[in-house]
Amino acid sequence: MGPKSGQGSAEPPRERIERLVAEGLMPWAAVEQAERLWQERLRHSVTMPNGEQVWITLDDLYHVIVDSRIWRHPERIVRALESVFEIRALEHGRRLAFSRWYEGGRERLAALVLYPDRTLRTMHLIDERRLRRYTRKVGEVVWRQ
Amino acid sequence: MVRATVVWDGPEANIIRVFVEPALPSGAVAHDEEITLYRALDQNEEPTGPVTGIEIVGFLGFDRWDALPKLDLLWQLPGQEPLPLDELLKREQRRLRQEAERAASLA
């Protein structure tokens, strides 16, 4: 199955999520849990440790939960934002934030792309090797804890 | 060859995702600050399996085609011929730029 006819070859994020649910690849309960988190927390903004508030749109939430490790634990979006320890500049006013937190004794790292309008547009769990690679190559540090 | 779909929610977000179909439980692997690969998760929930998708931030202005990961795959969107990833992305970029220009002219 692919995108519905009549919309070109691109599929909006919500339709992809609905299709994954229909195909049995993602439980509807996970989508509901993520949407509930958005209603209760994310749409009101989350404050990063530098004091800045960040929003996430519902469409971007649907993007972020494409990663199975996030739809199974959507609270990781909040943890990641609240645990940012460094922010670097990207092109076009975008920024890349790095985050570290602990779950059950295990360290988690994430990279978050922030747009100039203070929205979180995408987020990825990364490992220490990726973090080192990023911090060697990606633009100047604009904030560090 | 893999079947694929494109996810795009407009020029404001300006992020394209191309996913292999049928979808598999996947995790992201950052390639660089703009390009992310998705790979199938292993039993330890680590993204070590086959490539399941790619994401590019700032897609309408993206031109670092040489920075794309070298994947020995042809990607086929619904109703279209199979293409190498860079060719598919260039074609989608032309199409999405036209759409964005059309929308801007109507606004």
Side-chain angles (χ1 to χ4, degrees):
Chain A
M1 218 191 310
K4 292 171 187 170
S5 60
Q7 59 184 35
S9 58
E11 189 175 29
R14 168 78 188 193
E15 284 183 16
R16 176 175 170 80
I17 292 294
E18 288 174 351
R19 186 165 60 80
L20 293 179
V21 170
E23 293 175 359
L25 297 166
M26 180 186 281
W28 185 246
V31 180
E32 287 182 324
Q33 187 185 1
E35 288 176 336
R36 199 160 45 244
L37 180 75
W38 184 82
Q39 286 284 349
E40 292 170 0
R41 290 293 312 273
L42 295 170
R43 76 187 175 106
H44 301 298
S45 83
V46 176
T47 303
M48 298 193 299
N50 66 347
E52 182 179 344
Q53 290 178 297
V54 172
W55 283 263
I56 181 168
T57 68
L58 202 46
D59 267 347
D60 290 323
L61 176 78
Y62 296 135
H63 278 316
V64 168
I65 63 173
V66 161
D67 189 322
S68 306
R69 297 167 299 175
I70 298 177
W71 71 247
R72 289 179 182 139
H73 302 279
E75 71 282 359
R76 283 177 175 164
I77 303 168
V78 178
R79 290 298 305 275
L81 283 166
E82 289 178 339
S83 307
V84 166
F85 65 89
E86 184 174 300
I87 302 174
R88 287 178 177 247
L90 296 177
E91 288 188 347
H92 307 293
R94 294 190 290 262
R95 291 168 299 160
L96 186 62
F98 299 107
S99 176
R100 176 184 282 121
W101 72 99
Y102 292 87
E103 290 175 5
R106 182 175 173 188
E107 182 185 71
R108 295 281 179 187
L109 293 163
L112 306 98
V113 176
L114 307 172
Y115 272 37
D117 60 358
R118 294 192 290 164
T119 51
L120 169 66
R121 292 293 187 169
T122 188
M123 163 187 159
H124 303 121
L125 299 178
I126 59 174
D127 57 23
E128 194 69 45
R129 190 170 60 91
R130 292 283 163 187
L131 176 65
R132 282 198 300 272
R133 190 168 148 183
Y134 267 139
T135 51
R136 274 201 310 271
K137 294 172 82 175
V138 177
E140 73 172 293
V141 175
V142 292
W143 180 82
R144 185 179 277 153
Q145 194 165 43
Chain B
M1 188 198 77
V2 294
R3 289 188 297 117
T5 51
V6 169
V7 180
W8 172 258
D9 63 348
E12 190 184 338
N14 196 9
I15 301 175
I16 194 169
R17 283 133 175 134
V18 183
F19 290 110
V20 174
E21 300 292 342
L24 291 172
S26 300
V29 182
H31 183 70
D32 66 23
E33 67 273 24
E34 290 180 325
I35 304 170
T36 299
L37 276 181
Y38 288 89
R39 289 186 174 276
L41 295 179
D42 63 22
Q43 290 178 330
N44 298 318
E45 286 214 316
E46 296 297 332
T48 60
V51 170
T52 58
I54 188 166
E55 170 186 295
I56 300 178
V57 173
F59 181 63
L60 291 179
F62 181 80
D63 60 3
R64 295 186 304 111
W65 305 110
D66 289 343
L68 289 174
K70 307 295 179 238
L71 302 173
D72 190 20
L73 276 179
L74 292 178
W75 301 62
Q76 184 175 34
L77 296 179
Q80 298 181 16
E81 74 275 25
L83 291 172
L85 183 61
D86 60 337
E87 292 301 317
L88 181 147
L89 288 169
K90 286 174 185 173
R91 191 175 63 186
E92 285 301 297
Q93 189 185 59
R94 284 194 296 273
R95 185 178 70 77
L96 293 169
R97 279 177 174 172
Q98 285 171 359
E99 271 188 22
E101 284 166 12
R102 206 164 38 241
S105 70
L106 293 173

